[in-house]
Amino acid sequence: MGLRLYNTLGRSLQEFEPIQPGKVGFYGCGPTVYNYAHIGNMRMYVFEDTLARALRYLGYEVTHVMNITDVGHLSGDADSGEDKMVKSAQERHKSVLEIARYYTDAFFADEAKLNILRPDVVCNATEHVDDMISLIRRLEANGYTYFSGGNLYFDVSKFPSYGEMAGLKLDELKAGARIEVDANKRNPYDFVLWFTKSKFEDQALQWDSPWGRGYPGWHVECSAMSMKYLGEQFDIHAGGIDHVAIHHTNEIAQSEGATGKKWVNYWLHGEFLVLDKGKMSKSAGGFLTLKTLTDAGYEALDYRYFLLGAHYRSQLQFSYDGLDSARASRRSLVERVLALREKLHGGEPTPLATLCPAAKARLVAFKAAIEDDLSTPRALAELWGVLKEQGVSAADALGAAFDMDRVLGLGLESLAREAQAAVDPALAAELDALVAERAVAKKAKDYKRADAIRDELKARGVILEDSPAGTSWKLAPSVAGATPSVAGATPSVTGATPSVAGATPPGSAPRA
Ligand code: AMP
Ligand code: ZN
C-alpha cells in the first residue's frame, strides 16, 4: 500500500501521486514573526516536520519551503485590524526589522529544541516583494484586479471557483458575516493585493510598485514564494486549519488566476491545539510558549511526544496532566533505549536488511501507520512494540527503533550516542587520566593500584571495557544522565540555528 493523505481539496483520503515520480514539492505557511510562537503554532510546525520526515522516510526527495511573514499580515486575516508587525514594533520601540529578526531567531531556536528539521528553503516576505509585484502584474493582465480607495484588490467574482476548497458559496454570502465590511471592496470576499493607502499610513516598510509606493497584502507572499521555489504546480501545501477559509482560499485564487493552471494537488491542514479555556491565540494575548513549558521543568521533546500521541487532524486539548504523562512515557522510552544500548556492549544496532522477522514485522506495521495519513499514534505504538517485544534482541530492537525515529524525530539515536558524550569534559579528562594511570600500573604489575582504580571507577558508576586495543570507559545510564536530562545535549539534527539563549526580547516584549 502506498501513501494516502487526507486532502482538504475534495475532503477525502487520497492516494498520493507526486507530479514528478520520486519527488515532492512541499510548501508550508510559516510564522508571522511579531511575537513568540505559542505551543499551538508549534503543533503546526511539528506536524509539517513529521510530514516532511515521513515523505523522506518513504523514499521521496523532498523540497520543503517555508515562508517567514515579516510584512503585510493584519490581525484579521481578511484585511481587517492592525498590522501585526507594525503594532509589535511600536509597542516595543524597535524597528520592524529588529522585531522580525529577534522573533525569527526565537522561532528557529524553538524549532531546534523540538527536533524540527530546518526546511530546505526558508524565505522572508520582505526579500521577495519583486516576485509579488510580478505575480500581481500577471493577475492585473488577466483582469482579476481593480484599484479602489488607494489599494489594489483581487476581484473574486472574476474567479468562478473561488472558495471551492473551503466550500464557500459567494451568492449566499451576507456582507460582513465573515469579514468586516470595507467600502472599497466590490465584493465582501475581495482582498488586498497591494496597499498604497490605508489606515496604516505609518507602515514602516514600503516599496515602489506600478500601483504606487506601498506594501503587499498578506496572502500574495505565499503564492509568489512557493511558485518561485517549487514551480507553478507542486504537490503539497500545508498549514493550520484556520487558514482554509481565507488565507489558502485567497492563495489558490491568486496563483491559479495568474497561471491559469491548477496550482497545488494536495492540501493538508493541521487541527488546533486548544486550552481548557478555549482558543489559544497570540493576538488575544495570554499564551503558552515552549519556554513556558521548559521553565516549568519539561523538556521540549516531552511536548513533541505529547503531540505525536494525537493524529494531526484531531483537535488536541492541552493540559499539564497530559504533558506529565507524555513526559513519563518519553522517560521510559529513553530509559528503555539506553538499557538496550547497554546490552549491546558497544556493538551496533542491526542493519535493516538483516533484522529478525519480528522486528521487520514491526517496521512493516510502522510504515503502514505512517502511510495511513500519518497516523503517529499507531506509529508510536509500533515503536514501543519493538522495544518491548519478547525474543527480539537489543540490536534488532534498536535497529528498528532508530529507523522509526527518522519519522518521529525523538532523537533516540543521538540520545543514546550522546549519553556518552554528554559527560562534562573535565570529568571525561579525569576519567581518561585514571584509565591511563591504571594501564601504567598494570604494565608495571602494580595490580593493587590497578584494581583500586577499577574499584573507584566502579563506585562512581564508570564501566571499563578492556579490549586488545586498550581500555575504554563509559558511564552507566544513571550516571550519564540516562534519565531525560541527557536530552539537554542538543540533538544534532538541525542545521545552524540562531541562538537566542540569554538574549532579552527587544523592548518590553510581554511574555504573557
Ligand atoms: P501565525 O504565526 O499567527 O501566522 O500562525 C502560525 C501557524 O500556527 C498558522 O498556520 C496557524 O494555522 C497555526 N495555529 C495558530 N493557532 C494554532 C493552534 N492553537 N493550534 C494549532 N495551530 C495553530
Ligand atoms: Zn501562506
Side-chain angles (χ1 to χ4, degrees):
M1 260 235 310
L3 174 63
R4 288 180 317 147
L5 296 170
Y6 185 87
N7 194 347
T8 309
L9 201 61
R11 311 246 163 191
S12 56
L13 265 183
Q14 297 172 8
E15 200 86 26
F16 177 66
E17 278 181 41
I19 295 167
Q20 279 188 61
K23 297 198 170 164
V24 179
F26 164 34
Y27 184 87
C29 293
T32 305
V33 284
Y34 69 106
N35 202 341
Y36 294 102
H38 60 56
I39 56 173
N41 301 134
M42 296 320 291
R43 178 181 192 200
M44 236 282 303
Y45 301 112
V46 167
F47 149 57
E48 289 185 354
D49 178 60
T50 310
L51 173 60
R53 285 168 173 273
L55 290 163
R56 291 198 174 101
Y57 183 82
L58 297 173
Y60 294 104
E61 191 186 309
V62 180
T63 307
H64 178 191
V65 179
M66 184 178 77
N67 67 309
I68 300 285
T69 299
D70 49 6
V71 68
H73 193 179
L74 309 190
S75 55
D77 287 349
D79 307 331
S80 65
E82 297 172 276
D83 183 305
K84 293 185 180 190
M85 295 299 303
V86 172
K87 182 167 181 262
S88 173
Q90 283 168 353
E91 282 170 3
R92 292 158 175 77
H93 308 292
K94 294 282 165 181
S95 73
V96 165
L97 287 180
E98 281 170 321
I99 290 293
R101 203 171 309 123
Y102 177 80
Y103 289 113
T104 302
D105 288 354
F107 173 73
F108 282 112
D110 281 356
E111 292 239 298
K113 288 184 194 129
L114 286 165
N115 271 359
I116 293 175
L117 300 174
R118 198 176 168 93
D120 304 283
V121 177
V122 174
C123 41
N124 281 52
T126 47
E127 287 164 16
H128 292 78
V129 174
D130 285 350
D131 301 297
M132 299 183 218
I133 291 175
S134 308
L135 185 91
I136 301 172
R137 289 181 82 123
R138 288 172 78 179
L139 287 172
E140 195 173 35
N142 292 349
Y144 287 105
T145 66
Y146 63 92
F147 200 72
S148 171
N151 300 321
L152 189 75
Y153 288 89
F154 185 99
D155 183 345
V156 302
S157 67
K158 300 272 169 59
F159 188 75
S161 61
Y162 184 83
E164 207 168 79
M165 178 171 75
L168 304 177
K169 295 199 172 59
L170 295 197
D171 43 358
E172 287 175 12
L173 178 82
K174 285 197 225 65
R178 180 187 67 149
I179 40 193
E180 205 171 81
V181 181
D182 175 343
N184 297 321
K185 293 184 182 180
R186 290 184 188 159
N187 317 288
Y189 280 113
D190 292 351
F191 55 93
V192 176
L193 294 165
W194 189 264
F195 289 100
T196 65
K197 223 203 239 156
S198 67
K199 45 192 164 182
F200 317 114
E201 303 290 348
D202 53 352
Q203 164 70 309
L205 302 174
Q206 299 193 6
W207 291 263
D208 288 324
S209 84
W211 314 282
R213 200 164 166 73
Y215 56 99
W218 171 42
H219 315 293
V220 73
E221 67 177 77
C222 290
S223 295
M225 293 194 280
S226 63
M227 289 201 271
K228 174 169 181 152
Y229 294 107
L230 295 170
E232 292 188 349
Q233 294 179 293
F234 59 92
D235 303 293
I236 300 180
H237 192 315
I241 191 87
D242 56 325
H243 287 334
V244 175
I246 304 177
H247 183 50
H248 292 164
T249 289
N250 292 352
E251 284 185 25
I252 293 173
Q254 291 164 155
S255 307
E256 299 189 356
T259 66
K261 296 187 280 207
K262 184 174 181 185
W263 180 41
V264 170
N265 287 337
Y266 301 85
W267 283 87
L268 271 64
H269 289 100
E271 251 296 353
F272 263 39
L273 178 85
V274 291
L275 294 179
D276 297 347
K277 297 179 206 80
K279 203 181 150 193
M280 177 170 333
S281 102
K282 278 189 268 194
S283 323
F287 60 95
L288 303 175
T289 63
L290 196 62
K291 187 167 183 300
T292 319
L293 306 187
T294 52
D295 284 352
Y298 297 94
E299 297 209 24
L301 292 182
D302 295 334
Y303 183 57
R304 185 173 179 116
Y305 190 98
F306 171 77
L307 295 178
L308 293 173
H311 189 261
Y312 76 91
R313 283 196 295 115
S314 310
Q315 211 174 67
L316 175 61
Q317 172 107 29
F318 177 80
S319 69
Y320 281 103
D321 284 349
L323 191 59
D324 283 342
S325 86
R327 169 164 65 182
S329 301
R330 196 181 74 88
R331 274 190 180 164
S332 355
L333 183 71
V334 170
E335 274 162 17
R336 180 88 194 137
V337 166
L338 293 179
L340 289 169
R341 184 97 218 174
E342 277 300 308
K343 279 200 190 166
L344 278 185
H345 297 299
E348 285 302 310
T350 311
L352 295 185
T354 50
L355 285 177
C356 69
K360 264 191 190 148
R362 288 289 181 182
L363 267 185
V364 168
F366 174 86
K367 181 162 172 265
I370 292 302
E371 286 183 331
D372 185 11
D373 194 30
L374 300 186
S375 179
T376 51
R378 271 172 52 206
L380 268 184
E382 294 305 331
L383 171 65
W384 271 111
V386 79
L387 290 174
K388 290 191 147 180
E389 184 117 15
Q390 295 286 321
V392 170
S393 71
D396 283 346
L398 289 179
F402 291 163
D403 187 58
M404 294 175 182
D405 200 37
R406 287 166 52 208
V407 181
L408 301 172
L410 294 167
L412 297 180
E413 190 164 7
S414 49
L415 281 182
R417 286 196 196 289
E418 288 171 13
Q420 192 79 7
V423 180
D424 153 349
L427 174 64
E430 188 196 339
L431 298 179
D432 284 345
L434 282 169
V435 168
E437 192 191 333
R438 178 171 165 264
V440 171
K442 268 170 77 175
K443 212 166 171 194
K445 301 203 179 344
D446 180 358
Y447 296 115
K448 204 172 152 207
R449 177 66 189 141
D451 289 347
I453 293 174
R454 172 179 283 273
D455 292 346
E456 180 196 334
L457 291 174
K458 194 173 168 199
R460 292 170 67 179
V462 180
I463 301 161
L464 292 184
E465 284 174 349
D466 291 316
S467 77
T471 304
S472 61
W473 58 263
K474 65 179 178 184
L475 296 184
S478 57
V479 180
T483 48
S485 61
V486 156
T490 324
S492 53
V493 284
T494 45
T497 47
S499 163
V500 290
T504 43
S508 52
R511 297 262 4 193

